[in-house]
């Protein structure tokens, strides 16, 4: 895994990859903060090679740089928002799910995490005038959760004017009440959701790298990829790294995964949405539920946490827990056959 990454550095062949990996230098990040002497000693490679490798890793690692306030402002101006088409919830989120950041939906089973990711894969495709970003979605599915039939129902459940806008956007002629027309539309919406099942955590990490490639491929096209959902982010990690002694390794892998996702968010101005099942009593993995996921390794990029709680019937309470520039608060939505709807 790390080897694949390391091999693309200059002066690094298979033999050196093996030495680096054996010595624990298995990522750009690990190399970027090493000193030439340390690397040379522990990995048993020449010091000048070590210095070159470190420099290349620093260039590749994107370890962060200083930016002027103006540059930050410029970057933030590009932030797009995906609306849930529920005013109360959109307001809570400052207009919707933001690009250039990771939004984590967490809550117990049945709280609506997967429904939200399905709905966002549709809403991101809407024209900007209707709350979308005119873009495509990637769905990394670790729990065999994705259901095309659910997308079908949700598309049909969109408000009439939104359906009309979706048809116009794709030059599909006809009326949404016409079965052939709506079927064509549903098919087109499904075509713009790229789904892959993750069989284990390593596979999931690879899929995030693939997602980056796919986003590269669609960049500068009419339909860029601007949403990546990972449902669930940590189920595999949790199942595979059980022992206490494995916690550090699990966190390290998860950090790498989040870092990869964040890179897509930044380079493609994409929204990243991840889900995390917690028991009603938020579990020990993340400890304090008000603390950001993955610690602070995500650098200048922000992470928004949203807690979902079951309420009466099909109602769910949406609580904004940790957002860098929004007040905390709550809103209500309903999960119905036609998708997520206002109270
Ligand atoms: P876990 O993945 O088990 O942690 O749960 P989750 O938070 O992903 O829940 P999910 O989004 O799958 O479901 C939330 C609720 O949505 C369910 O309890 C159902 O009430 C409702 N729901 C799910 N699928 C459908 C559907 O096809 N039709 C309708 N009407 N409601 C659904
Ligand atoms: Mg789910």
């Amino acid at each position: 895994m790390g080897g694949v990454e390391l091999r693309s550095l200059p002066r690094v062949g298979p033999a050196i990859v093996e030495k680096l990996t054996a010595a624990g230098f298995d990522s750009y990040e690990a190399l970027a903060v090493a000193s030439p002497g340390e690397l040379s000693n522990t990995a048993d490679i020449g010091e000048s090679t070590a210095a070159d490798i470190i420099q290349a890793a620093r260039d590749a690692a994107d370890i962060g740089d200083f930016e002027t306030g103006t540059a930050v402002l410029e970057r933030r101006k590009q932030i797009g928002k995906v609306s849930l088409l529920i005013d109360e919830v959109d307001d809570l989120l400052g207009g919707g799910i933001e690009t250039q950041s990771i939004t984590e939906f967490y809550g117990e089973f049945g709280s609506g995490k997967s429904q939200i990711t399905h709905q966002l894969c549709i809403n991101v495709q809407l024209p900007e005038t209707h709350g979308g970003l005119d873009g495509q979605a990637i769905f990394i599915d670790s729990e065999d959760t994705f259901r095309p039939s659910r997308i079908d129902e949700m598309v049909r459940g969109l408000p009439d004017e939104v359906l009309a806008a979706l048809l116009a956007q794709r030059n599909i002629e006809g009326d949404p009440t016409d079965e052939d027309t709506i079927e064509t539309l549903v098919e087109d919406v499904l075509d713009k959701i790229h789904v892959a099942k993750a069989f284990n955590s390593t596979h999931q990490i690879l899929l995030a790298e693939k997602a980056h490639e796919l986003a590269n491929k669609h960049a500068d096209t009419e339909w860029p990829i601007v949403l990546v959902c990972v449902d669930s982010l940590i189920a595999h990690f949790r199942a595979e790294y059980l022992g206490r002694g494995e916690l550090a390794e699990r966190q390290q892998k998860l950090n790498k995964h989040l870092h990869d996702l964040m890179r897509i968010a930044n380079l493609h101005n994409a929204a990243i949405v991840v889900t995390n099942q917690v028991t009603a009593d938020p579990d020990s993995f993340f400890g304090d539920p008000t603390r950001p996921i993955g610690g602070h390794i995500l650098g200048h990029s922000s992470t928004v946490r949203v807690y979902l709680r079951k309420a009466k019937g099909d109602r769910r309470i949406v609580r904004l827990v940790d957002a860098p520039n929004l007040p905390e608060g709550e809103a209500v939505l309903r999960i119905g056959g036609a998708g997520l709807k206002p109270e």
Side-chain angles (χ1 to χ4, degrees):
M1 194 34 262
V4 174
E5 189 178 77
L6 298 182
R7 217 164 301 155
S8 56
L9 292 172
R11 301 188 69 171
V12 176
I16 291 197
V17 167
E18 206 165 298
K19 285 182 176 181
L20 292 175
T21 316
F25 296 101
D26 58 356
S27 68
Y28 294 152
E29 286 75 15
L31 284 168
V33 295
S35 74
E38 176 197 8
L39 188 61
S40 165
N41 281 333
T42 47
D44 187 27
I45 52 179
E47 194 157 332
S48 93
T49 308
D52 287 353
I53 292 174
I54 289 168
Q55 190 51 52
R58 283 185 185 163
D59 294 341
D62 183 21
I63 48 174
D65 227 329
F66 290 101
E67 283 183 291
T68 63
T70 323
V72 174
L73 186 67
E74 268 318 301
R75 191 161 41 75
R76 289 198 57 85
K77 268 192 205 156
Q78 309 300 317
I79 290 179
K81 292 179 186 184
V82 188
S83 162
L84 280 165
L85 298 180
I86 301 171
D87 289 346
E88 202 189 333
V89 177
D90 288 338
D91 289 348
L92 178 73
L93 298 171
I97 310 293
E98 285 194 346
T99 62
Q100 297 179 31
S101 77
I102 296 180
T103 302
E104 175 193 6
F105 284 96
Y106 69 107
E108 63 176 323
F109 71 94
S111 57
K113 304 180 294 293
S114 298
Q115 297 304 304
I116 285 184
T117 51
H118 278 70
Q119 186 78 57
L120 288 170
C121 285
I122 298 169
N123 292 12
V124 74
Q125 299 187 27
L126 304 176
E128 270 185 56
T129 47
H130 288 76
L133 293 173
D134 301 274
Q136 305 195 68
I138 285 176
F139 195 107
I140 297 178
D141 186 356
S142 73
E143 300 196 302
D144 195 14
T145 253
F146 185 79
R147 294 288 175 275
S149 58
R150 203 51 194 124
I151 298 293
D152 186 312
E153 289 173 342
M154 286 176 164
V155 170
R156 289 169 195 265
L158 290 168
D160 289 345
E161 72 276 10
V162 174
L163 279 175
L166 271 178
L167 291 172
Q169 173 198 39
R170 288 151 214 252
N171 300 315
I172 301 173
E173 307 227 339
D175 188 280
T177 54
D178 173 54
E179 182 54 29
D180 283 348
T181 308
I182 196 86
E183 266 179 33
T184 308
L185 176 62
V186 168
E187 220 169 272
D188 201 74
V189 169
L190 283 168
D191 271 343
K192 293 180 171 58
I193 307 173
H194 305 263
V195 187
K197 260 188 228 175
F199 298 111
N200 54 47
S201 65
T202 308
H203 186 217
Q204 187 174 322
I205 289 173
L206 278 172
L207 286 176
E209 293 173 7
K210 277 249 171 185
H212 202 153
E213 287 169 22
L214 200 58
N216 287 342
K217 191 177 136 205
H218 291 277
D220 305 319
T221 68
E222 206 183 335
W223 286 93
I225 286 171
V226 285
L227 172 69
V228 179
C229 296
V230 187
D231 185 24
S232 133
L233 175 73
I234 64 164
H236 283 315
F237 292 88
R238 201 176 258 154
E240 291 163 30
Y241 299 89
L242 287 168
R244 254 190 164 286
E246 292 176 310
L247 272 183
E249 194 184 345
R250 174 168 89 177
Q251 192 61 39
Q252 199 182 20
K253 291 263 163 64
L254 197 52
N255 284 353
K256 185 223 172 322
H257 187 39
L258 285 165
H259 193 99
D260 291 345
L261 292 168
M262 199 62 228
R263 206 177 272 188
I264 304 177
N266 285 331
L267 293 178
H268 292 283
N269 196 17
I272 311 294
V273 173
V274 303
T275 70
N276 175 13
Q277 194 197 72
V278 296
T279 49
D281 179 22
D283 83 343
S284 57
F285 178 39
F286 284 112
D288 178 356
T290 62
R291 290 263 311 282
I293 177 177
H296 292 285
I297 55 138
L298 297 175
H300 56 64
S301 311
S302 56
T303 300
V304 178
R305 303 195 76 204
V306 183
Y307 182 45
L308 296 172
R309 203 164 76 234
K310 291 183 205 169
K312 212 169 170 204
D314 59 1
R315 287 181 173 72
R316 298 292 184 274
I317 315 287
V318 182
R319 175 168 183 79
L320 186 67
V321 174
D322 185 70
N325 43 26
L326 289 169
E328 297 205 346
E330 290 190 344
V332 183
L333 58 74
R334 285 187 306 110
I335 306 177
L340 305 182
K341 299 290 168 193
E343 258 266 68

